[in-house]
Amino acid sequence: MELGASCSSGMCPCPWQRGWNEMSFKPALGLSSAVINTRLQELVRLFKERTEKVKEKLIDSDVTSDDESPVPAPAAAPLPAPGGEQEGDKPSRDDHYCEMLCCTFKRQPWLDRLKSYKFPSSIDPLTNLMYVLWLFFVVMAWNWNCWLIPVRWAFPYQTAANIHCWLLVDYLCDLIYLLDILIFQTRLQFVQGGDIITDKKAMKENYLRSQRFKMDVLCLLPLDFFYFKVGVNPLLRFPRCLKYMAFFEFNNRLEAILTKAYIYRVIRTTAYLLYSLHVNSCLYYWASAYEGLGSTTWVYDGEGNSYIRCYYWAVKTLITIGGLPDPKTLFEIVFQLLNYFTGVFAFSVMIGQMRDVVGAATAGQTYYRSCMDSTIKYMNFYKIPRAVQNRVKTWYEYTWHSQGMLDESELLVQLPDKMRLDIAIDVNYNIVSKVALFQGCDRQMIFDMLKRLRSVVYLPNDYVCKKGEIGREMYIIQAGQVQVLGGPDGKSVLVTLKAGSVFGEISLLAAGGGNRRTANVVAHGFANLFILEKKDLNEILVHYPESQKLLRKKAKKMLKSNNKPKEEKGGPGDPLIIPPRAETPKLFKAALAATGRMGGKGPLGRLRWRLKELRALQQAQVSTAACLAALDIQCVHPCCSPTPPKSPVHQRSPVASRKAQTRLGEEISSESSDHSVTIRVIPTAKEDEEILAAEISEKDEKKEEK
């Protein structure tokens, strides 16, 4: 706020004016000078950088700009409808709502969604998940026929009371078979001469000429018409089991999309074993019924659950556990011999297939274990220290558990260059494109560089690079952190770099001794880094001369800026455009301090007392100004002018004369405004020594003695 009032001569309504009449006021220009100086230095630096860029473009027109590409202008908003009402504001007449609990949800009826759905004209059997889902339903129908036809034929589970349920499910499976032939199989894409064929007529003709179509037609033979003559016999549906090609296709597609396909392989192999036991149990019940239930000790006696009892017998027979009753008749002996031979063959095949499945699932683990065992054997043979052996074991374990393999290049080398490039772009392009050294380079050069990156894992406290060594690599942090060490002892953490950071890029292009490391870099915890070697970059730049020219200019500029001394980089040694007020000379301060310790008598003692009083008045002035600023008060009366009258102390303060602005080696003198005090600095023969002399006029001495 502002405060104003009338004032008589010699008096001021402001309570703080009385203090101003007793002390000297000197505006504090230190803070404003520092702000102005900082701002001017920033403007000078910006103008200098701009001038250098323009100069480079004028000298070499091939230099590309580091600025980003211009952003396209936003698309114009659509014009409103002629009627004045926007299309989005019109009330929808076809909105449908569904009430659920206490909320109402806007949705489209399922019938409308079904009508608006358009079935694809062609289906990619390798990548279309909808086709894999459809194959699942086809395989379920095929399993119904394979598992239930033998049961209905051998066991008395199909009766006149439940025949309609069996027939309903049978014909539902037949409908699935028919839809697979008419809708899905005729729309499958195929490759011919390297081209993917999507023409409807060509896809239909390809299916009609295939072996798959013949088996599909054979499995749908209408043998059901014989039901009217021989009754509902499940064996007439046995051709439905010939749709096995859909089962194997489903296995291939499902294993391609599963992350752990070996689990499904184990389940499928187990299902093979269970199905063979299932068929054997059905045959055993049929043989028992043929001989007569309970007629001998070998056949089923008809007690308990017939399927469970027969399945138990089949398990003991195929696995050759033993403890079975001996067959009595010729039929029983032949049946048992065939059963034993089949069981031994089937069981050995199942065991071999299970071993292959488990071996394929643990192939990577076996390779990792063999490599680690070989390394441990090597280290023990050469008596490597135990500490080094423990670090090697830790590296093996962490590398395997973090990425599932010891060397990623072994996997990528099997892929073609295009696929390796696609994987490298997805993993590393966002990081490499942000490196200042590579901005503005050819995009294809960066793609070629991505394929040369090599992944390396560093353990905690491992040195990534050491100060003074020759730099031949650039590092990109994929995971983890690294610390840059420095200081007098070389152990102080200067900065911590996290995932996505890049360092060592200048050493790739530096030459003539400029590619030495300037600091120690240590892994903080486990760190996974991508490395680009200098020789790989040189091989790439041979094909991109323009990018090579640009990279060398940028590297030279970076090296030049890194090698500048602090005073050239805009540090505290910058010349001040508005220099601050000179401080009291150190030699003069020492003389005043010595005078104070000796009792404070003489000319220097009186001068010391006057300077001390002046500092006290200036501190009071600063505190008063701070109070005014905090209260937001401003006196507008003329007597409250910010420039108070001069005090005697202010008049007696030394003021530098023109003689002070002399060259080195000349005498420097300063005196007060009333010429009562004179201070002289007299140089001596030695460059680092000076003589300080203070003179007080005789009039002032007599006044003070009185």
Side-chain angles (χ1 to χ4, degrees):
M1 67 180 178
E2 296 183 357
L3 180 64
S6 61
C7 181
S8 61
S9 61
M11 296 184 64
C12 178
C14 303
W16 52 83
Q17 180 64 29
R18 191 176 305 162
W20 281 10
N21 294 333
E22 297 176 357
M23 66 178 181
S24 64
F25 179 86
K26 184 168 185 179
L29 298 177
L31 181 60
S32 60
S33 299
V35 173
I36 296 174
N37 180 71
T38 304
R39 181 56 182 165
L40 290 177
Q41 289 287 350
E42 181 69 17
L43 292 176
V44 170
R45 185 182 62 82
L46 294 176
F47 279 115
K48 186 177 180 181
E49 291 180 357
R50 184 176 178 182
T51 304
E52 290 180 355
K53 289 183 179 180
V54 174
K55 185 178 179 181
E56 288 182 2
K57 291 182 180 179
L58 292 176
I59 296 175
D60 189 358
S61 59
D62 295 334
V63 177
T64 58
S65 177
D66 294 339
D67 299 338
E68 297 181 355
S69 302
V71 180
L79 296 176
E85 184 180 2
Q86 293 186 358
E87 190 174 318
D89 298 336
K90 293 183 179 179
S92 177
R93 300 179 181 179
D94 298 334
D95 291 345
H96 299 271
Y97 295 89
C98 173
E99 296 183 0
M100 182 181 297
L101 297 178
C102 60
C103 303
T104 302
F105 299 95
K106 182 179 179 181
R107 68 173 181 84
Q108 188 178 11
W110 67 271
L111 185 59
D112 294 344
R113 291 200 302 269
L114 185 61
K115 291 180 180 179
S116 61
Y117 177 75
K118 185 178 180 181
F119 199 81
S121 58
S122 63
I123 300 174
D124 185 4
L126 301 178
T127 60
N128 197 319
L129 296 180
M130 183 190 66
Y131 180 65
V132 178
L133 180 61
W134 172 253
L135 286 178
F136 170 76
F137 291 108
V138 175
V139 170
M140 292 297 295
W142 178 75
N143 276 280
W144 167 269
N145 293 317
C146 291
W147 286 78
L148 273 301
I149 288 176
V151 173
R152 294 161 60 186
W153 165 72
F155 293 91
Y157 292 151
Q158 179 176 305
T159 61
N162 59 11
I163 189 64
H164 59 280
C165 297
W166 294 102
L167 294 179
L168 178 62
V169 180
D170 286 345
Y171 293 129
L172 179 61
C173 295
D174 293 347
L175 178 61
I176 294 176
Y177 281 13
L178 187 62
L179 292 176
D180 182 61
I181 295 174
L182 298 178
I183 298 179
F184 286 88
Q185 297 301 321
T186 57
R187 298 171 184 263
L188 294 182
Q189 302 174 4
F190 66 97
V191 179
Q192 184 178 13
D195 297 331
I196 300 177
I197 306 302
T198 58
D199 182 67
K200 292 183 178 180
K201 184 178 180 181
M203 290 187 295
K204 185 182 297 184
E205 292 177 354
N206 179 70
Y207 173 64
L208 295 178
R209 292 192 305 265
S210 64
Q211 185 71 18
R212 177 75 172 270
F213 173 72
K214 298 176 183 178
M215 298 301 297
D216 290 345
V217 173
L218 185 61
C219 72
L220 282 179
L221 286 177
L223 300 180
D224 302 52
F225 290 106
F226 289 98
Y227 287 171
F228 299 103
K229 186 175 182 180
V230 299
V232 182
N233 189 349
L235 288 179
L236 294 175
R237 294 187 55 83
F238 183 76
R240 303 297 188 272
C241 299
L242 298 178
K243 202 174 178 62
Y244 61 89
M245 299 181 71
F247 171 71
F248 291 111
E249 184 182 6
F250 173 73
N251 292 334
N252 296 333
R253 301 292 176 263
L254 188 61
E255 290 179 4
I257 62 177
L258 291 178
T259 55
K260 296 183 179 180
Y262 65 90
I263 298 178
Y264 175 73
R265 297 191 190 106
V266 172
I267 296 174
R268 185 182 62 198
T269 305
T270 305
Y272 290 160
L273 178 60
L274 296 178
Y275 182 74
S276 61
L277 296 173
H278 168 77
V279 174
N280 195 24
S281 64
C282 295
L283 292 175
Y284 175 66
Y285 186 86
W286 170 81
S288 300
Y290 178 79
E291 288 286 315
L293 298 179
S295 59
T296 63
T297 58
W298 182 83
V299 299
Y300 170 60
D301 56 3
E303 297 180 1
N305 189 297
S306 57
Y307 182 77
I308 298 297
R309 294 293 184 89
C310 294
Y311 201 91
Y312 173 74
W313 183 90
V315 171
K316 294 180 66 177
T317 304
L318 289 181
I319 303 178
T320 63
I321 295 177
L324 296 173
D326 296 332
K328 303 299 182 181
T329 64
L330 180 62
F331 175 79
E332 294 175 357
I333 294 174
V334 173
F335 185 88
Q336 189 67 9
L337 288 175
L338 294 176
N339 209 2
Y340 277 140
F341 289 137
T342 306
V344 171
F345 176 75
F347 196 69
S348 61
V349 170
M350 297 301 171
I351 292 177
Q353 188 171 2
M354 187 67 72
R355 180 186 61 83
D356 295 339
V357 171
V358 176
T362 60
Q365 185 74 19
T366 304
Y367 172 73
Y368 155 71
R369 185 59 57 188
S370 63
C371 292
M372 190 170 183
D373 293 342
S374 301
T375 305
I376 293 175
K377 183 178 179 180
Y378 174 84
M379 292 189 296
N380 291 333
F381 179 78
Y382 286 98
K383 298 180 181 180
I384 304 298
R386 184 62 58 182
V388 178
Q389 293 190 23
N390 293 335
R391 293 184 65 83
V392 172
K393 295 176 183 178
T394 304
W395 181 88
Y396 268 104
E397 293 178 0
Y398 176 79
T399 304
W400 176 257
H401 291 296
S402 62
Q403 58 190 23
M405 61 187 68
L406 298 178
D407 189 2
E408 294 180 355
S409 60
E410 294 181 0
L411 174 64
L412 298 178
V413 75
Q414 302 174 4
L415 301 176
D417 290 343
K418 182 61 174 66
M419 292 185 179
R420 277 190 292 169
L421 177 60
D422 294 341
I423 295 176
I425 291 174
D426 293 336
V427 176
N428 305 321
Y429 181 74
N430 290 334
I431 299 176
V432 177
S433 60
K434 296 178 182 178
V435 180
L437 184 63
F438 299 128
Q439 290 180 358
C441 295
D442 195 314
R443 187 182 182 89
Q444 188 60 39
M445 188 215 74
I446 298 179
F447 289 166
D448 294 343
M449 187 177 61
L450 293 177
K451 295 187 292 184
R452 302 294 185 97
L453 294 179
R454 180 169 52 89
S455 178
V456 177
V457 175
Y458 288 90
L459 301 184
N461 301 323
D462 273 356
Y463 276 90
V464 180
C465 58
K466 292 185 178 181
K467 182 178 180 180
E469 69 179 9
I470 303 299
R472 299 183 180 89
E473 304 91 3
M474 179 191 75
Y475 300 92
I476 303 174
I477 304 176
Q478 182 192 23
Q481 299 178 359
V482 298
Q483 293 179 341
V484 181
L485 305 181
D489 56 352
K491 297 182 179 180
S492 302
V493 179
L494 302 180
V495 66
T496 300
L497 304 177
K498 299 182 179 180
S501 302
V502 181
F503 61 95
E505 66 272 17
I506 301 179
S507 63
L508 293 179
L509 297 171
N515 56 345
R516 291 187 177 272
R517 303 297 186 187
T518 58
N520 295 328
V521 181
V522 179
H524 180 63
F526 292 95
N528 193 348
L529 275 62
F530 284 113
I531 297 178
L532 176 64
E533 296 185 356
K534 186 174 184 178
K535 62 178 183 179
D536 294 334
L537 182 62
N538 292 335
E539 293 176 0
I540 295 173
L541 291 179
V542 171
H543 307 285
Y544 303 95
E546 296 297 330
S547 298
Q548 182 180 15
K549 183 178 180 181
L550 177 62
L551 286 177
R552 295 197 180 279
K553 285 188 176 182
K554 287 188 174 183
K556 185 177 180 181
K557 187 175 181 180
M558 288 181 173
L559 283 173
K560 186 177 180 180
S561 61
N562 291 340
N563 294 331
K564 283 184 179 181
K566 291 184 178 180
E567 56 270 13
E568 296 183 12
K569 292 184 178 181
D574 284 337
L576 298 177
I577 297 177
I578 302 179
R581 182 181 179 184
E583 297 182 357
T584 305
K586 293 182 179 180
L587 184 61
F588 186 52
K589 286 183 179 180
L592 293 178
T595 303
R597 287 194 298 269
M598 294 172 61
K601 298 180 180 180
L604 287 178
R606 290 189 294 272
L607 181 61
R608 178 175 176 273
W609 178 82
R610 291 172 183 173
L611 291 176
K612 185 176 181 181
E613 183 181 8
L614 178 61
R615 284 196 299 269
L617 292 177
Q618 290 178 349
Q619 291 178 359
Q621 173 190 346
V622 172
S623 61
T624 304
C627 293
L628 292 175
L631 297 174
D632 194 16
I633 299 176
Q634 181 182 1
C635 183
V636 298
H637 197 272
C639 68
C640 298
S641 174
T643 306
K646 296 183 179 180
S647 63
V649 177
H650 178 74
Q651 295 176 0
R652 298 288 297 273
S653 60
V655 178
S657 63
R658 295 181 181 179
K659 295 182 180 179
Q661 300 178 0
T662 58
R663 293 175 296 178
L664 184 63
E666 297 182 1
E667 180 180 333
I668 302 175
S669 64
S670 62
E671 60 183 5
S672 62
S673 60
D674 56 354
H675 306 285
S676 61
V677 179
T678 303
I679 300 174
R680 302 179 186 276
V681 179
I682 304 172
T684 61
K686 297 183 180 180
E687 296 182 357
D688 55 348
E689 292 184 3
E690 294 178 344
I691 299 176
L692 176 66
E695 300 177 0
I696 301 178
S697 63
E698 296 180 357
K699 297 180 180 180
D700 292 345
E701 291 181 357
K702 293 179 180 180
K703 289 180 181 180
E704 291 177 0
E705 290 177 357
K706 293 179 180 181

